[in-house]
């Protein structure tokens, strides 16, 4: 584990931590983001009243249109001179949403990614080939930061040119691959065309995300590349990859719930659902400073489970 104190925290300890951070974040956006202040006032909510987690349901939702309506910086909670970096969403449903990070936000994101990669099995001895795109997309730099935090040898290959990807894996003895799952299959197909048997090479691990994939697809990647295929889940609006992650048990994704408070709602009534019931996943930022999200509706359907995992982690799981 990268951070055993947090990753094995008891439910009571975690909920006390989350309650304190929820109050802190609510006060932060109330003071600094006019949109959230107006919503809080409209709904008759004062940040100091949020002394129980079930009071989270009193807060307003944030949706994609909220970000579009406040483009480009209406939801930013810090002045531009305190912004260390800006990434952006893909813009598939409209204009890309710029997402700012303070230096503290970047450092916290790196910690979340170090947990993600460690849980997948990455160690300082690995040679990691980062085949995500770099730039406004969060994947490339997100994975790069996490691997640097762990202390791996990194190959920042970027996306594209699958023939070059195969050559790098073969010539530099890559042991871990970071990419989208569909691109991993492209690499496997190109290796087959080149007569390179990836299963005979040192590569042993792949960590994939940024798009939906199925158990069948995971099995195909593992069979064709001879690796263990692990998942990393995230959203640009929250930080990028590093929101939740696979462990060796591969029985649900552990949520970094000290940073992202999850809840499940009925997508029709918008009412919170009990633990274990399937519905829409909603996240509230707990430690971000540049642009915290309050009850951000992901549109992803899943369920949450709180149970001690075979890996020893106690962080809540999402299917």
């Amino acid at each position: 584990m990268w951070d055993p104190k947090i990753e094995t925290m008891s439910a009571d300890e975690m909920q006390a931590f989350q309650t304190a951070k929820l109050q802190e974040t609510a006060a932060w956006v109330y003071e600094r983001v006019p949109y959230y202040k107006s919503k809080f006032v409209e709904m008759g909510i004062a940040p100091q009243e949020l002394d129980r987690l079930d009071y989270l349901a009193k807060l307003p939702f944030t949706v994609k249109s909220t970000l579009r309506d406040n483009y480009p910086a209406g939801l930013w909670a810090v002045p531009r001179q305190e912004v260390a970096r800006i990434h952006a969403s893909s813009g598939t449903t409209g204009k890309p949403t710029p997402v700012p990070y303070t230096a503290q936000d970047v450092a916290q994101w790196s910690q979340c990614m170090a947990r993600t990669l460690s849980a997948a099995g990455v160690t300082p001895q690995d040679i990691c080939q980062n085949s995500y795109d770099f730039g406004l997309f969060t994947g490339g730099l997100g994975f790069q930061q996490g691997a640097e935090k762990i202390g791996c040898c990194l190959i920042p290959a970027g996306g594209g040119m699958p023939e070059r990807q195969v050559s790098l894996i073969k010539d530099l003895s890559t042991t871990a691959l970071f990419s989208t799952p569909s691109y991993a299959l492209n690499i496997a197909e190109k290796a087959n065309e080149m007569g390179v048997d990836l299963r005979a090479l040192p590569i042993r691990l792949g960590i994939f995300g940024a798009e939906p994939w199925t158990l069948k697809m995971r099995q195909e990647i593992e069979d064709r590349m001879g690796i263990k295929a692990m998942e990393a889940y995230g959203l640009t609006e929250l930080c990028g990859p590093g929101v939740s992650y696979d462990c060796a048990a591969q029985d649900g994704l552990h949520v970094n719930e000290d940073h992202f408070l999850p809840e499940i709602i009925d997508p029709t009534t918008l009412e919170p659902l009990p633990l274990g019931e399937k519905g829409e996943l909603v996240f509230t930022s707990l430690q971000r400073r540049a642009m915290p999200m309050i009850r951000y509706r992901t549109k992803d359907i899943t369920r949450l489970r709180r149970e001690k995992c075979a890996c020893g982690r106690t962080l809540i799981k999402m299917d």
Side-chain angles (χ1 to χ4, degrees):
M1 292 186 198
W2 179 256
D3 193 350
K5 181 179 177 181
I6 297 294
E7 294 179 78
T8 62
M9 190 177 280
S10 73
D12 288 345
E13 289 174 317
M14 180 59 75
Q15 288 166 10
F17 180 91
Q18 290 172 328
T19 301
K21 289 298 180 182
L22 177 61
Q23 282 186 306
E24 184 181 300
T25 298
W28 182 263
V29 298
Y30 185 89
E31 294 165 3
R32 293 165 171 261
V33 183
Y35 169 81
Y36 281 127
K37 182 172 184 177
S38 67
K39 283 291 184 183
F40 280 35
V41 170
E42 178 187 319
M43 301 174 79
I45 303 162
Q48 61 268 26
E49 295 172 0
L50 300 170
D51 56 359
R52 287 173 44 181
L53 282 186
D54 53 3
Y55 289 170
L56 180 65
K58 296 182 177 183
L59 296 179
F61 289 109
T62 305
V63 294
K64 280 279 189 184
S65 61
T66 310
L67 279 73
R68 287 196 293 268
D69 293 345
N70 288 278
Y71 178 90
L75 295 181
W76 293 18
V78 297
R80 291 179 190 267
Q81 60 266 31
E82 293 182 25
V83 174
R85 191 190 297 174
I86 299 172
H87 284 282
S89 65
S90 62
T92 51
T93 58
K95 189 174 285 190
T97 300
V99 179
Y101 301 70
T102 64
Q104 179 184 347
D105 292 336
V106 173
Q108 290 176 350
W109 184 19
S110 299
Q111 288 282 0
C112 288
M113 284 306 299
R115 289 185 201 172
T116 298
L117 301 184
S118 292
V122 174
T123 74
Q125 286 70 48
D126 276 301
I127 299 172
C128 300
Q129 185 163 321
N130 189 354
S131 300
Y132 281 103
D133 287 330
F134 288 77
L136 287 175
F137 170 60
T138 55
L141 284 170
F143 274 82
Q144 195 79 5
Q145 291 162 193
E148 286 176 348
K149 195 79 178 172
I150 291 173
C152 309
C153 173
L154 273 156
I155 306 168
M161 301 177 66
E163 184 172 352
R164 182 181 64 179
Q165 302 285 349
V166 175
S167 295
L168 289 171
I169 291 171
K170 179 174 177 288
D171 297 343
L172 300 181
S173 299
T174 297
T175 58
L177 174 69
F178 310 150
S179 75
T180 63
S182 59
Y183 191 50
L185 286 176
N186 286 343
I187 292 172
E189 183 61 34
K190 179 56 68 173
N192 185 59
E193 292 173 8
M194 294 168 64
V196 174
D197 184 1
L198 295 175
R199 294 167 298 182
L201 299 179
I203 187 167
R204 63 181 183 83
L205 181 65
I207 305 169
F208 308 114
E211 65 187 21
W213 54 316
T214 63
L215 291 173
K216 182 179 178 182
M217 195 170 176
R218 168 184 269 175
Q219 189 63 56
E220 183 179 359
I221 292 171
E222 291 185 339
D223 290 346
R224 296 184 67 179
M225 301 188 79
I227 64 173
K228 191 72 172 173
M230 310 292 279
E231 182 168 5
Y233 172 91
L235 300 102
T236 301
E237 295 82 2
L238 293 177
C239 75
V243 174
S244 66
Y245 55 85
D246 252 336
C247 67
Q250 291 188 310
D251 179 29
L253 305 180
H254 294 283
V255 179
N256 278 318
E257 57 174 322
D258 57 321
H259 290 273
F260 312 103
L261 178 58
E263 57 180 319
I264 297 291
I265 64 167
D266 183 309
T268 303
T269 68
L270 306 186
E271 291 298 316
L273 294 175
L275 204 63
E277 290 199 24
K278 186 177 287 189
E280 182 181 346
L281 182 62
V282 174
F283 280 112
T284 296
S285 306
L286 292 179
Q287 298 197 54
R288 279 181 64 78
R289 283 294 172 260
M291 194 175 79
M293 290 283 97
I294 302 296
R295 300 193 82 197
Y296 183 69
R297 293 182 61 185
T298 67
K299 301 296 184 180
D300 291 334
I301 303 299
T302 187
R303 67 185 178 117
L304 297 173
R305 295 179 277 141
R306 187 172 292 286
E307 59 196 34
K308 186 169 182 178
C309 183
C311 73
R313 291 174 178 83
T314 53
L315 294 172
I316 200 167
K317 292 180 180 180
M318 55 180 273
D319 283 349

